[in-house]
């Protein structure tokens, strides 16, 4: 992944940080079979398959903030909207190809939504379409982008630990 220029602007730096975290996550979860994706690291019940499905849902939710369109997979499933634990539990029944496809598709929709909106003037200052605070205020898209990156930062650490326990894979960045 190419580093941004030393004088890169805010949008370029935010997107770079997000893309680097996505690449790290893809590397830490990639190429595993169903048993590995469903393996927890006790005492936690978290799995890499659950993380894939969870982050697909997160990507989709934030893509809605950029577009205002109805949610797609996996958030278009009524169970996903009614039960926040559904993505974690249901991932154990999904095939690896299904989980990888779900996450990659959600990331692609999210990237496309961001590219469209961020090309507009003042894009980062626009209010979110979906997320609203208890105060009734909508965060701007800058905040949504930072929150999405934070979600990845948190879960890349989880993926690090889970993957190391599965097959010993360690490291900060995917091989070039």
């Amino acid at each position: 992944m190419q580093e941004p220029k030393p004088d890169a602007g805010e949008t370029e730096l935010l997107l770079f940080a997000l893309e680097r975290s996505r690449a790290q996550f893809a590397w830490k979860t990639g190429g595993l079979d169903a048993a590995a994706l469903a393996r927890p690291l006790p005492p936690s019940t978290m799995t890499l398959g659950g993380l894939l499905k969870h982050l697909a849902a997160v990507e989709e939710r934030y893509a809605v903030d950029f577009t205002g369109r109805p949610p797609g997979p996996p958030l278009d499933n009524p169970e996903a909207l009614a039960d926040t634990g559904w993505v974690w539990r249901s991932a154990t029944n999904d095939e690896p190809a299904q989980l990888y496809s779900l996450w990659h598709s959600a990331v692609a929709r999210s990237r496309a939504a961001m590219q469209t909106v961020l090309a507009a003037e003042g894009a980062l200052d626009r209010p979110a379409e979906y997320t609203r605070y208890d105060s009734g205020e909508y965060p701007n898209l800058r905040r949504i982008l930072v929150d999405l990156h934070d979600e990845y930062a948190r879960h890349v650490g989880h993926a690090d630990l889970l993957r190391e326990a599965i097959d010993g894979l360690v490291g900060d960045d995917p091989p070039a």
Side-chain angles (χ1 to χ4, degrees), residues 42-68:
S44 175
T45 59
M46 185 181 292
T47 65
L48 288 174
L51 281 171
L52 280 162
K53 199 164 190 176
H54 169 71
L55 283 172
V58 169
E59 288 274 7
E60 188 61 26
R61 180 174 169 267
Y62 286 135
V64 172
D65 272 325
F66 276 83
T67 63

